[in-house]
Amino acid sequence: MEETIGVTETAPIPKQRGEQLLDSAVRYAEERHWDVFPGTWLEADEGRERCSCGTADCPAPGAHAAKPDWATQATGSAVVARRLWSKQPGASILLPTGRTFDALDVPESAGFLALARMERMELTLGPVTCTPDRRMLFFVLPGGAAKVADLVRKLGWSPSAIDLIARGEGDYLAAPPTRIGGHGAVQWARRPTPANRWLPDVEELISPLAYACGREAAAARGR
């Protein structure tokens, strides 16, 4: 499966990468019932890769929404997902938050610290992604993002003082194996499995995540 891309230069999407993206998008829709939509992709440009959006300093090259009406493009149909990625095999896989899940987005160092603590506490965890820009995203039940600020305050932290981003309605995230520029691909720290099909409430995860983010913020202030 190859696609010719670019305007001034043609460059085939590697077949294996295109098939991985298509198969993953279809699997997310079919097995997890997640809505998916194709985003931008990476194009070859004089030996380098640039985002299909054409912006030279794109902050998320090859991994952001291609159209402003992306929310209406998202589909939970595996058949439609297969058709969309067959048209553009290199397109990133983007998942809208606020529908079947929300996500708590934290620095990677805080995320691994919190993850170790959650495992010791034997908490039920959902899928968790790691991004090439060293972030971790923990999937929680939809509606959780709206509660985060109040929950963080109740734990004694100022929401603006810690690097914990709540992703809910109107937002999205990049799913594995989407590549972000030349930095690498999004990966699973905890893969979607039948065992974690039921997602945790945000209340279950907020304490270890806020603690880890607060500890990191305090260490940064002390440097």
Side-chain angles (χ1 to χ4, degrees), residues 115 119 123 125-129 138 187-193 196:
L115 190 59
E119 289 173 344
L123 294 179
L125 294 175
V128 182
T129 63
F138 291 73
Q187 301 181 47
W188 290 113
R190 277 185 165 265
R191 292 182 173 276
T193 67
N196 62 22

Side-chain angles (χ1 to χ4, degrees), residues 168-180:
E169 187 175 357
D171 205 349
Y172 59 83
L173 57 84
T178 296
R179 288 177 55 216
I180 302 178

Side-chain angles (χ1 to χ4, degrees), residues 35-37 65 67-75 96-97 99 170-172:
D35 283 1
V36 298
F37 69 98
K67 300 178 181 179
D69 62 344
W70 60 264
T72 64
Q73 311 261 326
T75 178
T97 49
R99 298 189 182 187
D171 205 349
Y172 59 83

Side-chain angles (χ1 to χ4, degrees), residues 104-185:
L104 303 179
D105 178 347
V106 301
E108 183 181 85
S109 53
F112 278 117
L113 177 65
L115 190 59
R117 188 179 180 194
M118 291 172 188
E119 289 173 344
R120 289 196 299 272
M121 296 167 67
E122 298 184 346
L123 294 179
T124 300
L125 294 175
V128 182
T129 63
C130 286
T131 67
D133 56 351
R134 302 182 69 81
R135 306 288 299 183
M136 290 180 73
L137 289 91
F138 291 73
F139 289 32
V140 296
L141 286 171
K147 306 175 186 177
V148 167
D150 284 343
L151 290 171
V152 168
R153 290 189 192 96
K154 288 178 181 177
L155 290 168
W157 303 96
S158 167
S160 61
I162 62 174
D163 188 2
L164 194 163
I165 301 168
R167 299 191 179 276
E169 187 175 357
D171 205 349
Y172 59 83
L173 57 84
T178 296
R179 288 177 55 216
I180 302 178
H183 307 296

Side-chain angles (χ1 to χ4, degrees), residues 1-6 10-14 41 85-90:
M1 182 186 304
E2 293 188 348
E3 179 93 0
T4 299
I5 55 179
T10 59
I13 299 273
W41 56 91
W85 269 270
S86 294
K87 291 178 180 177
Q88 180 46 261

